[in-house]
Amino acid sequence: MEKFLVIHYNEISLKKGNRNFFEDKLILQIKRVLAGQAFDFLKKISGRLILKLNERSDVAAICGKLKKVFGIGYFCESFLSSPNLKILKEDILDLIKNKKFESFKIETQRSNKSYPLTSQQVNEKIGEYILENLKNRKIKVKLKNPDLTCFIEIVENYAFIYFEKIKGAGGLPQGTSGKVVSLISSGFDSPVASYLLMRRGAEIVFCHFESTPQTSIASIENVKKLVKKLTEYQLKSKLYLIPFLEIQKEIIKNCKLDLAVILYRRIMVRLACEIAKKEGARALLTGDNLGQVASQTLENIEVINQTAEFPIFRPLIGFDKEEIINLARKISTYEVSSAPYEDCCSLFIPRHPQTKARLEEVETEEKKLDIEKMIDMAIKRMKIEEFSL
């Protein structure tokens, strides 16, 4: 029997008038991810995609890549049979007769509503046929937690048989939700936040503030490793490395120490906005988590927001640390984020940072700085690195 991968999406199916746009984006992303892999064709049929495998297909490699494609709900390594019930029965029997099981069930999904039998009728007729032809095995039908589930999809003129559903990444296809600039560090939070926005279809441009030589080069190397990991989900990434040490020194030299962190963050937001303009992005992204550190109290977040020219997304705002770390493990950023590092925000931290900053006071302190000159100098000295699979 010919082999296929039947690819299902869930959220895309709810898009109604825009569904073709999302489906086409998903097809494009899959083709990009599978560049260099052997298969015959990929096409759309009745609310799913089918990918025809051949004798040169590396099925394990293809499945591994598909698991990281946003927009896929699940997919199945399937055998092509026929909607003809006699042929379908015989094919299923041929596929399962050498499998070891004591209980089984048949689960049919009938998308072709002109098919003469209901899904339940197909289940019953094929179940009876299996019991009759394997009666020497003493097997039985078991609807809950059977040893073997045989899935059947009858769609258009196809009938697919499979035994496992492989979970996909979910979400929306890459490139369907615009471009966002992520302020990324070596820690746990911002890489996870970036992943969550990627999963919503956003293309992420990364922006990292570094304070070498005052901090170790390890921080930059860790960020590069994190971006490389995240690039597995969007194929190509760009990382802006922005020098921040001189800006920090000016703030410490001229401004109130208890407001230093807020002043750092406000200038970071301004710089990230410049990157957003350059990249055509429509929003910024941070790993902020409400109340986690001094700069992330509600009052301080409000003051930091005041300097932004774009919306700032904070997808982790209500997460606890355990939830964030579990996600980091899931997306394979945990080990890199666990490595020892220093980042610019760990420098020149006051003993008692302000947790309820007032905008008027912060703006008064900023008047002591030549912010336009700072930003211009940082932009001129920044470096850009690109990543691709």
Side-chain angles (χ1 to χ4, degrees):
M1 279 178 274
E2 294 179 319
K3 285 188 176 182
F4 283 76
L5 291 178
V6 179
I7 301 169
H8 286 261
Y9 34 84
N10 37 32
E11 197 167 345
I12 292 175
S13 63
L14 305 176
K15 293 300 181 181
K16 296 185 179 178
N18 295 325
R19 181 164 161 175
N20 285 338
F21 167 76
F22 286 90
E23 289 174 331
D24 290 344
K25 284 286 189 180
L26 179 56
I27 290 170
L28 179 62
Q29 184 73 355
I30 290 172
K31 287 181 176 178
R32 287 174 175 170
V33 165
L34 297 184
Q37 294 292 328
F39 61 93
D40 288 344
F41 62 79
L42 172 69
K43 72 176 185 179
K44 174 172 55 176
I45 63 164
S46 296
R48 69 212 75 199
L49 307 178
I50 56 172
L51 187 147
K52 172 71 164 56
L53 300 167
N54 58 43
E55 66 279 358
R56 295 180 295 109
S57 299
D58 184 338
V59 179
I62 290 173
C63 290
K65 291 178 180 292
L66 289 181
K67 286 178 182 179
K68 294 184 177 180
V69 176
F70 293 122
I72 295 178
Y74 67 93
F75 59 96
C76 321
E77 185 178 350
S78 307
F79 298 90
L80 179 63
S81 181
S82 167
N84 180 287
L85 188 62
K86 181 177 183 299
I87 297 173
L88 187 56
K89 287 177 180 179
E90 292 170 351
D91 284 344
I92 291 173
L93 179 63
D94 190 53
L95 287 170
I96 70 171
K97 64 185 179 184
N98 294 320
K99 293 180 180 289
K100 292 182 178 180
F101 63 95
E102 295 181 0
S103 60
F104 76 100
K105 75 171 179 177
I106 307 296
E107 188 171 309
T108 303
Q109 183 178 353
R110 184 195 59 144
S111 299
N112 183 354
K113 300 307 179 186
S114 65
Y115 193 70
L117 300 174
T118 66
S119 296
Q120 182 59 30
Q121 287 171 330
V122 174
N123 295 343
E124 291 170 357
K125 290 182 179 297
I126 292 179
E128 290 170 1
Y129 183 80
I130 299 301
L131 289 171
E132 176 64 26
N133 284 272
L134 296 180
K135 56 187 176 184
N136 60 319
R137 297 258 306 262
K138 297 182 179 179
I139 61 172
K140 63 180 180 179
V141 173
K142 186 180 179 184
L143 298 183
K144 289 187 178 181
N145 302 315
D147 299 330
L148 177 72
T149 299
C150 177
F151 299 95
I152 302 168
E153 286 188 35
I154 300 172
V155 51
E156 296 184 7
N157 295 317
Y158 301 91
F160 295 103
I161 305 164
Y162 55 91
F163 302 97
E164 179 186 10
K165 295 181 179 181
I166 303 169
K167 187 172 176 59
L172 296 173
Q174 183 70 37
T176 57
S177 299
K179 193 180 286 190
V180 175
V181 173
S182 171
L183 285 71
I184 190 169
S185 72
S186 297
F188 293 106
D189 300 347
S190 53
V192 171
S194 298
Y195 166 84
L196 290 175
L197 261 289
M198 284 180 178
R199 194 171 183 269
R200 301 311 305 156
E203 178 185 349
I204 303 297
V205 176
F206 298 95
C207 175
H208 177 64
F209 300 93
E210 54 92 3
S211 295
T212 55
Q214 195 74 35
T215 57
S216 167
I217 195 71
S219 175
I220 296 176
E221 293 305 314
N222 284 354
V223 166
K224 290 180 183 179
K225 290 177 184 176
L226 289 167
V227 172
K228 189 174 181 181
K229 283 280 185 188
L230 292 167
T231 301
E232 294 176 10
Y233 296 95
Q234 66 175 17
L235 304 184
K236 292 195 299 183
S237 298
K238 190 179 290 186
L239 170 63
Y240 286 83
L241 295 168
I242 301 179
F244 205 66
L245 180 59
E246 296 307 315
I247 292 174
Q248 289 179 282
K249 287 180 177 179
E250 284 296 306
I251 290 171
I252 293 301
K253 178 181 175 183
N254 294 289
C255 303
K256 290 181 178 179
L257 288 182
D258 66 338
L259 292 173
V261 175
I262 306 301
L263 295 168
Y264 295 166
R265 297 284 288 181
R266 280 170 62 91
I267 294 179
M268 286 178 180
V269 167
R270 290 184 174 100
L271 283 162
C273 286
E274 293 302 311
I275 302 303
K277 292 174 192 174
K278 177 180 171 66
E279 287 289 333
R282 305 295 296 272
L284 308 184
L285 163 69
T286 75
D288 289 350
N289 179 260
L290 188 62
Q292 181 172 258
V293 294
S295 64
Q296 295 172 28
T297 63
L298 192 57
E299 293 84 356
N300 288 355
I301 286 173
E302 183 181 12
V303 169
I304 291 165
N305 279 354
Q306 293 296 324
T307 195
E309 298 178 60
F310 298 91
I312 302 178
F313 295 146
R314 295 176 170 90
L316 302 181
I317 197 70
F319 282 52
D320 63 35
K321 203 65 180 180
E322 183 178 357
E323 291 171 320
I324 295 168
I325 286 174
N326 286 339
L327 270 171
R329 287 194 173 100
K330 175 184 174 182
I331 65 175
S332 301
T333 59
Y334 175 82
E335 286 189 12
V336 180
S337 295
S338 297
Y341 70 91
E342 298 174 289
D343 63 21
C344 64
C345 288
S346 64
L347 283 181
F348 314 124
I349 298 298
R351 182 172 296 179
H352 301 292
Q354 180 61 259
T355 58
K356 295 185 178 182
R358 293 182 297 108
L359 181 61
E360 299 81 2
E361 185 180 11
V362 171
E363 289 178 335
T364 296
E365 292 302 301
E366 283 185 338
K367 289 176 182 177
K368 302 174 183 178
L369 305 169
D370 190 341
I371 292 176
E372 187 174 334
K373 181 179 177 181
M374 288 177 170
I375 290 173
D376 185 58
M377 185 176 296
I379 293 293
K380 286 178 179 177
R381 292 173 54 207
M382 73 183 178
K383 298 178 181 178
I384 303 172
E385 297 213 11
E386 297 190 0
F387 301 77
S388 61
L389 287 185

